[in-house]
């Protein structure tokens, strides 16, 4: 049977994160207070040279800690012989040395302030969307992460 989709392949991707209801329940029961503790821990860790890698790791995962939001994106690439590869990946980043210089001069203190404001905004109902947006932008504020 030949139809309109003859020769086409349909790919259905599942999201790498739980559905919205699960994410909302997580935030109400766990995410709001765990994100506060994670922010405090990351702020303390980045005050030491040894703790900086752990602080960067934690801050890059604040959206996941708060609402189980994944930072991965869908990647589609055409390979040899017309094969298409579909998967999830993180976005390509700027040069490490640019991000390191930015972190030393601005990122370490700016992200602590940014996340503190985001957490306080998250305690209110009306500013909750702003809080979630700020959490999502934390990696960008800290190390210019895309």
């Amino acid at each position: 049977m030949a139809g309109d989709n003859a020769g086409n392949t349909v790919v259905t991707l599942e999201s790498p994160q739980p559905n919205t209801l699960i994410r909302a329940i997580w935030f109400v029961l766990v995410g709001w207070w765990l994100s506060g503790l994670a922010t405090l821990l990351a702020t303390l860790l980045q005050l030491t040279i040894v703790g900086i890698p752990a602080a960067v790791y934690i801050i890059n995962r604040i959206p996941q800690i708060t609402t189980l939001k994944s930072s991965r994106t869908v990647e589609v690439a055409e390979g040899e012989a017309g094969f298409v590869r579909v998967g999830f990946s993180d976005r390509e980043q700027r040069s490490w040395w640019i991000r390191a210089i930015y972190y030393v001069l601005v990122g370490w203190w700016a992200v602590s302030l940014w996340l503190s404001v985001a957490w306080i905004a998250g305690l209110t109902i009306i500013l909750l969307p702003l809080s979630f947006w700020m959490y999502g932008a934390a990696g960008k504020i800290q190390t210019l992460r895309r």
Side-chain angles (χ1 to χ4, degrees):
M1 292 199 292
D4 290 338
N5 291 330
N8 292 336
T9 302
V10 177
V11 177
T12 304
L13 296 174
E14 291 186 23
S15 174
Q17 58 199 11
N19 69 39
T20 305
L21 179 61
I22 299 296
R23 291 177 61 200
I25 291 170
W26 172 267
F27 174 75
V28 169
L29 297 178
V30 179
W32 71 270
W33 62 264
L34 188 58
S35 63
L37 290 176
T39 299
L40 178 62
L41 177 62
T43 299
L44 294 174
L45 284 171
Q46 65 185 356
L47 295 175
T48 68
I49 299 290
V50 180
I52 290 173
V56 170
Y57 181 84
I58 291 169
I59 289 171
N60 285 337
R61 278 143 189 89
I62 287 287
Q64 187 174 10
I65 292 168
T66 308
T67 66
L68 301 176
K69 182 181 187 311
S70 176
S71 65
R72 301 172 78 196
T73 58
V74 176
E75 179 181 285
V76 179
E78 188 170 340
E80 296 178 22
F83 289 105
V84 176
R85 184 176 58 87
V86 179
F88 294 101
S89 68
D90 289 323
R91 292 182 64 189
E92 188 175 331
Q93 301 299 320
R94 291 177 176 88
S95 299
W96 69 268
W97 60 272
I98 292 172
R99 294 176 69 199
I101 291 170
Y102 174 84
Y103 176 81
V104 169
L105 298 177
V106 177
W108 69 272
W109 61 266
V111 77
S112 296
L113 180 63
W114 183 265
L115 289 174
S116 297
V117 171
W119 191 77
I120 291 168
L123 295 178
T124 69
I125 299 294
I126 193 101
L127 295 178
L128 203 52
L130 173 66
S131 174
F132 291 160
W133 175 79
M134 290 178 76
Y135 282 134
K140 202 176 287 186
I141 300 298
Q142 181 187 34
T143 63
L144 300 176
R145 186 174 196 262
R146 295 183 189 183

